Amino acid sequence: MTGYRQGMHELLAPILFVVNSDKIRIDSAESTNDPLAFIFDANFVEHDAFALFSRLMRSTKSWFDSSANTLPGGHNARVRNKASSVSAPQQNIPIVVLCNHIQNNIIQVLDPTLCSHLKHLNIEPQLYGLRWIRLLFGREFPFEELLCLWDGLFAHDSSLSLVQWICAAMLLLIREEIIQADYITVLQKLMRYPSLSTLKVKTVTGLLDKAKNLQREYEERVTISSQEQHSRESSAASEMSNQKKSSRTGSSKSVAEISNFLVHGEDSKKTAAQSDNADNLAVLQQRKISELKARDRTLAKKVDRCISQLADILSDAQTLNERRNEIEGIVDELKVVQTELVFSSGTSMSMTDGNESESPVMVSRPKMSAKAAASNLHEYSNDTILQRNANGSSILATGASGLDSWISTLSTAAQDVDLSKTVKAASSLFSGLFEERIGTSTFAPFVPADQQQRRHSAAVKAISGIEANTSAAGVAATSSPIKSTPSTLADVSTTIKSNVRSRPESVSSSIKSTASSAPTSFSSASTTIRSARYPPDHWRNNLPLQPQIQTQPQPASSDDSSTVGSVVSNPNKEVFVVVADGGFKDPLS
Amino acid sequence: MIGDSGTGKSSLLLRFTDDAWLQPEEVAATIGVDFKVKIIDVDNKKYKLTIWDTAGQERFRTLTSSYYRGAQGVIMVYDVTQRDSFAHLETWFNELDTYTTNPLVVKMLVGNKIDKDGSNDSSRQVSRKEGEAFAKRMGTLFVESSAKSRSGVIDAFVEVIAETPELYQKTAAHAARAANTVNLDQQNNQSGESGGSCC
């Protein structure tokens, strides 16, 4: 498909409207220095709108694609035999695939009665879904509401994965009105969608919330049903004995279809023959999973290497300035990692370790949207497998978002003459962000539940020393009295805390469940254990000021914004350790 | 209703169902498909019509099979001021043959926008004669219309209705044999009204 298709202009219009509304005219010399005026420069409204529109089309383009053929000239349609041309060709059209997925998979899982009603009426989902999705609901809601809806949609992720859940929410919101209605009435409701103010959600915000809730609900059900499938089929069923076996909606067939859809995206083939052929699907899924695992390992190695390099650079305070280029190189590398992480967290739950490779639970992983899963982890606290999935995603998500601030910190640091402190602070943050990830993909400590407490106390003890070392390193490196760049430090510290605090729920619930279901879920626990790490030996050896620093009181937990490499305790008494180092040493070993 | 984009399918429908007319700048392209329901008296008999309006750019196959399978009448629209839209009719016939399973579907050819004839900015490119000849060759009904001036609009729909029940009556046995192709009752019949589906 190339060129303009009807409806694209309705995606451009709101963008142009907003950019145009925000424009600032540069009419005086002083305003040329105003960064806002620069960003919203009235001279570039068209350019900015085009750039934004292009970006949007990257995600929506396939939905405008109605096959390789476009009218006029579709003579080849004649050649095909009638039976296959009526039903089969639709399978390859992305928008049709998505519409079918929403009505026949998502709604089937969330509300089987509604799904079968629509099926019974012979209402094909693209009748209403095509316009909903192509125009991103532009004709379904008033313009003001649309802008708000797009805010939520774009904020969720750039692949617009929330679209299908908004569709599902819209269907379920008018469920009561269509469940008893006849064909015409149902179509009228769907194609002239009622005002949100008349519905339960009342507002766009309510609709967005509903959409996100549905996504979680769906994932929960699908994951559980895929576990059930596994426990029925797997010879290793005994190992799964702690998992829930309560019956839930969602047949194994629909799960297979869904995962097929996910793995193959637009190319999903949903003929009956293929969805019955679960073996083929399983092979494809396994292959996909292997790919994801390989990618994760590569990422983890990259991150590990970055840590080592940073530690190396930091080990010699004298050469810090000269090695600024190297730091910039690391920044660049991390940006790549970040990009991959964002992709990873958007498309898959791909945190894996060796133990998980046999588990078909993985099948449902790509389905899970990382952010949503992470933020709502507590809802799944009784199910350890779900725990593990969600933990993986939370790591990806926080890892990716944390990297953002980290990269900017590092970039600042690389340009800062007195950069040692900043770099150290950033590297601390960095190390904290990724220790889980590395622990899971590469090291995966195997720790019995009863050792967790010991581990944590060991971590707490280790902290004092490490903190001293870290601070001392900072002092040593600056070589001038500590007139530390307070604003930078405060920033970093805030970042550390916010990163740490964004996770406590997942950790506490995970540990809770681990304790109750040991010993089957060690690997789950391992992802949440924060192991304290020692800095490399040569660090400590190069720290002349260490004794003085150690005489200072060492807080076990700290809200002091000037503390770098801090220990932050959360209300659930878990201790999070955020320190820098270049290697991995188990405090217990 | 089918035909190239910009030939006025939605405008014809709007004129027929709501007797309304939108200025060109108020008109939005149909995305995918739209539909309207209209109850109309023909010869003292009430008909409830479900009329599907497709986007000219949309391929049949993106849309539904049930949609075309259940159709009892098809209105094919071209723009008398756009030669291309007339030339493409053959393609539309091919598509129709491919996707409709109802051999008795009533076809109506409509040459729209005759109000533009003689105006300065655009003039007729397809004569009435040409349109008629093509309709005859393809065995379809024919009307020239203007959604803007109302001319021919109601005729187009009413003639399809007038043809439809007669056809089904005459060939009831045939229709019964082709059981799954004619769905008179499935979607459209309401008590006391005859159903009709048209696209």
Side-chain angles (χ1 to χ4, degrees):
Chain A
M1 176 190 70
T2 55
Y4 174 79
R5 303 276 300 168
Q6 277 175 355
M8 288 179 183
H9 65 299
E10 291 184 49
L11 296 180
L12 172 62
I15 292 174
L16 187 58
F17 174 85
V18 169
V19 174
N20 190 58
S21 308
D22 289 344
K23 74 180 174 218
I24 296 176
R25 292 201 185 283
I26 301 181
D27 41 17
S28 64
E30 68 204 69
S31 64
T32 52
N33 294 325
D34 180 356
L36 278 181
F38 178 75
I39 292 169
F40 298 114
D41 190 341
N43 294 315
F44 294 95
V45 166
E46 196 178 319
H47 311 63
D48 292 346
F50 177 78
L52 291 167
F53 175 64
S54 300
R55 181 62 192 84
L56 181 59
M57 283 312 298
R58 242 190 273 167
S59 307
T60 55
K61 184 182 167 200
S62 70
W63 296 334
F64 285 89
D65 189 3
S66 62
S67 84
N69 304 322
T70 48
L71 274 177
H75 292 281
N76 56 346
R78 209 180 203 176
V79 188
R80 292 189 296 264
N81 87 35
K82 275 200 173 186
S84 69
S85 64
V86 167
S87 55
Q90 292 191 1
Q91 302 308 319
N92 295 324
I93 302 170
I95 185 78
V96 178
V97 171
L98 181 59
C99 289
N100 277 321
H101 173 62
I102 292 164
Q103 185 173 305
N104 299 330
N105 292 332
I106 294 178
I107 299 299
Q108 164 65 33
V109 168
L110 294 173
D111 192 339
T113 317
L114 178 61
C115 179
S116 62
H117 182 60
L118 292 171
K119 217 172 268 176
H120 174 72
L121 291 178
N122 210 1
I123 290 181
E124 289 181 293
Q126 60 269 39
L127 285 180
Y128 58 89
L130 193 126
R131 190 178 69 203
W132 287 9
I133 294 168
R134 266 194 198 161
L135 304 186
L136 296 177
F137 314 101
R139 291 208 194 157
E140 319 311 318
F141 304 109
F143 189 67
E144 286 303 311
E145 289 182 8
L146 180 70
L147 294 181
C148 184
L149 184 72
W150 279 20
D151 277 346
L153 185 60
F154 298 160
H156 191 72
D157 69 15
S158 59
S159 66
L160 308 181
S161 67
L162 203 54
V163 162
Q164 58 186 329
W165 305 108
I166 294 174
C167 289
M170 286 168 69
L171 284 169
L172 290 175
L173 279 170
I174 55 171
R175 176 201 200 269
E176 296 307 323
E177 293 159 77
I178 60 182
I179 199 73
Q180 300 290 344
D182 64 5
Y183 181 77
I184 296 294
T185 315
V186 171
L187 274 173
Q188 269 167 338
K189 285 282 175 200
L190 291 172
M191 299 182 81
R192 317 255 189 279
Y193 199 78
S195 161
L196 282 175
S197 59
T198 67
L199 302 174
K200 225 189 292 173
V201 293
K202 299 292 179 206
T203 62
V204 168
T205 318
L207 177 65
L208 286 164
D209 287 344
K210 169 103 178 161
K212 289 173 191 170
N213 286 334
L214 288 178
Q215 179 182 12
R216 281 191 293 276
E217 193 181 335
Y218 174 82
E219 283 160 0
E220 183 185 12
R221 292 189 188 188
V222 169
T223 307
I224 285 167
S225 67
S226 81
Q227 286 168 22
E228 287 168 359
Q229 186 188 8
H230 177 58
S231 34
R232 278 196 303 273
E233 293 171 1
S234 169
S235 58
S238 58
E239 289 176 15
M240 312 280 283
S241 60
N242 279 0
Q243 290 169 19
K244 278 187 180 176
K245 285 180 179 166
S246 62
S247 75
R248 296 285 192 116
T249 37
S251 66
S252 58
K253 183 184 167 193
S254 81
V255 170
E257 282 174 357
I258 290 157
S259 30
N260 186 30
F261 171 84
L262 291 161
V263 171
H264 303 289
E266 301 168 356
D267 296 324
S268 174
K269 305 239 174 22
K270 290 184 183 172
T271 60
Q274 272 176 316
S275 54
D276 288 344
N277 194 348
D279 287 348
N280 270 349
L281 285 177
V283 170
L284 289 168
Q285 283 152 4
Q286 284 300 327
R287 196 180 303 158
K288 187 74 183 169
I289 288 160
S290 307
E291 284 170 23
L292 290 175
K293 286 167 70 176
R295 189 185 61 194
D296 278 356
R297 290 205 186 91
T298 315
L299 280 182
K301 276 179 196 158
K302 272 186 199 166
V303 169
D304 207 19
R305 197 173 61 237
C306 287
I307 294 179
S308 310
Q309 285 172 352
L310 266 179
D312 180 43
I313 293 169
L314 291 171
S315 66
D316 190 346
Q318 308 307 320
T319 60
L320 263 182
N321 280 343
E322 292 137 46
R323 303 181 71 175
R324 200 177 301 162
N325 286 344
E326 288 179 48
I327 296 177
E328 278 167 355
I330 294 172
V331 169
D332 286 341
E333 189 161 1
L334 286 170
K335 279 179 182 164
V336 175
V337 173
Q338 183 197 26
T339 311
E340 292 181 54
L341 270 177
V342 168
F343 176 73
S344 187
S345 67
T347 57
S348 73
M349 296 284 306
S350 54
M351 285 300 295
T352 59
D353 62 36
N355 295 334
E356 293 176 10
S357 59
E358 299 148 9
S359 167
V361 173
M362 294 289 298
V363 164
S364 65
R365 285 189 161 198
K367 193 74 205 121
M368 310 273 276
S369 164
K371 287 172 191 167
S375 65
N376 290 276
L377 191 61
H378 60 281
E379 291 180 14
Y380 307 135
S381 60
N382 291 327
D383 190 308
T384 57
I385 296 298
L386 277 170
Q387 284 285 338
R388 188 162 55 179
N389 287 345
N391 269 331
S393 71
S394 101
I395 294 159
L396 288 180
T398 54
S401 65
L403 250 194
D404 226 337
S405 62
W406 194 82
I407 285 173
S408 66
T409 313
L410 249 198
S411 302
T412 317
Q415 289 152 21
D416 196 342
V417 180
D418 182 22
L419 46 68
S420 59
K421 274 238 155 187
T422 320
V423 170
K424 188 169 304 306
S427 71
S428 304
L429 170 57
F430 173 65
S431 167
L433 274 174
F434 281 92
E435 64 185 346
E436 291 168 291
R437 185 179 176 81
I438 292 162
T440 310
S441 349
T442 322
F443 302 105
F446 187 83
V447 185
D450 61 349
Q451 280 188 27
Q452 284 179 37
Q453 202 46 52
R454 277 174 53 205
R455 243 186 126 88
H456 279 285
S457 12
V460 175
K461 276 183 209 157
I463 285 307
S464 314
I466 292 163
E467 247 197 342
N469 294 338
T470 311
S471 314
V475 174
T478 51
S479 74
S480 59
I482 310 175
K483 47 178 181 186
S484 55
T485 52
S487 62
T488 323
L489 281 178
D491 283 352
V492 173
S493 174
T494 312
T495 321
I496 293 173
K497 282 174 191 157
S498 70
N499 272 304
V500 167
R501 281 176 183 159
S502 68
R503 288 183 270 177
E505 272 185 346
S506 67
V507 175
S508 65
S509 57
S510 174
I511 287 178
K512 235 184 293 160
S513 74
T514 304
S516 65
S517 64
T520 56
S521 56
F522 291 144
S523 56
S524 159
S526 74
T527 66
T528 59
I529 291 168
R530 273 66 172 165
S531 36
R533 297 179 188 175
Y534 295 135
D537 286 339
H538 55 264
W539 269 35
R540 255 173 294 171
N541 298 338
N542 289 336
L543 294 176
L545 297 181
Q546 186 175 351
Q548 294 166 21
I549 299 295
Q550 274 186 328
T551 61
Q552 294 172 0
Q554 298 299 326
S557 73
S558 174
D559 285 323
D560 182 355
S561 63
S562 69
T563 306
V564 178
S566 55
V567 183
V568 180
S569 69
N570 73 11
N572 294 317
K573 306 279 188 226
E574 260 78 48
V575 179
F576 298 84
V577 185
V578 186
V579 289
D581 78 5
F584 181 87
K585 286 187 184 176
D586 190 333
L588 294 177
S589 62
Chain B
M1 307 188 67
I2 59 176
D4 277 10
S5 54
T7 52
K9 297 177 292 298
S10 302
S11 296
L12 282 170
L13 183 54
L14 186 66
R15 175 62 83 190
F16 176 63
T17 57
D18 297 41
D19 193 25
W21 165 256
L22 293 174
Q23 292 303 318
E25 64 271 15
E26 298 174 288
V27 172
T30 306
I31 303 299
V33 63
D34 201 356
F35 92 112
K36 283 189 185 287
V37 177
K38 167 91 171 172
I39 295 171
I40 187 173
D41 277 2
V42 178
D43 297 337
N44 294 321
K45 207 178 165 199
K46 262 190 165 43
Y47 292 87
K48 181 173 183 175
L49 303 180
T50 310
I51 306 164
W52 291 93
D53 178 19
T54 54
Q57 269 197 1
E58 205 58 59
R59 298 277 297 187
F60 279 21
R61 59 221 211 90
T62 316
L63 295 168
T64 75
S65 44
S66 66
Y67 161 42
Y68 287 101
R69 260 183 277 188
Q72 291 155 288
V74 175
I75 295 179
M76 309 174 85
V77 185
Y78 68 94
D79 177 351
V80 297
T81 69
Q82 294 291 330
R83 184 86 212 170
D84 279 355
S85 70
F86 184 71
H88 292 160
L89 285 173
E90 207 145 347
T91 309
W92 284 108
F93 271 101
N94 288 337
E95 296 269 331
L96 195 59
D97 287 348
T98 308
Y99 291 100
T100 52
T101 49
N102 175 9
L104 306 173
V105 64
V106 178
K107 295 171 192 163
M108 161 67 79
L109 186 63
V110 175
N112 194 29
K113 306 199 188 179
I114 51 170
D115 58 279
K116 282 186 161 184
D117 191 12
S119 66
N120 292 333
D121 54 335
S122 58
S123 59
R124 188 189 272 269
Q125 294 181 355
V126 183
S127 71
R128 182 181 181 92
K129 234 178 197 173
E130 244 183 310
E132 272 174 345
F134 184 72
K136 196 172 178 189
R137 179 154 72 84
M138 303 306 287
T140 71
L141 305 166
F142 178 72
V143 165
E144 282 197 340
S145 71
S146 163
K148 189 176 181 181
S149 73
R150 294 191 179 83
S151 165
V153 174
I154 293 179
D155 298 345
F157 290 91
V158 168
E159 280 196 36
V160 173
I161 299 165
E163 285 296 314
T164 305
E166 190 196 340
L167 252 180
Y168 286 125
Q169 234 170 9
K170 256 196 272 183
T171 59
H174 179 89
R177 256 179 277 128
N180 64 338
T181 62
V182 181
N183 303 317
L184 266 174
D185 305 324
Q186 185 193 11
Q187 298 165 358
N188 311 300
N189 263 2
Q190 298 269 298
S191 54
E193 292 160 354
S194 293
S197 174
C198 187
C199 54

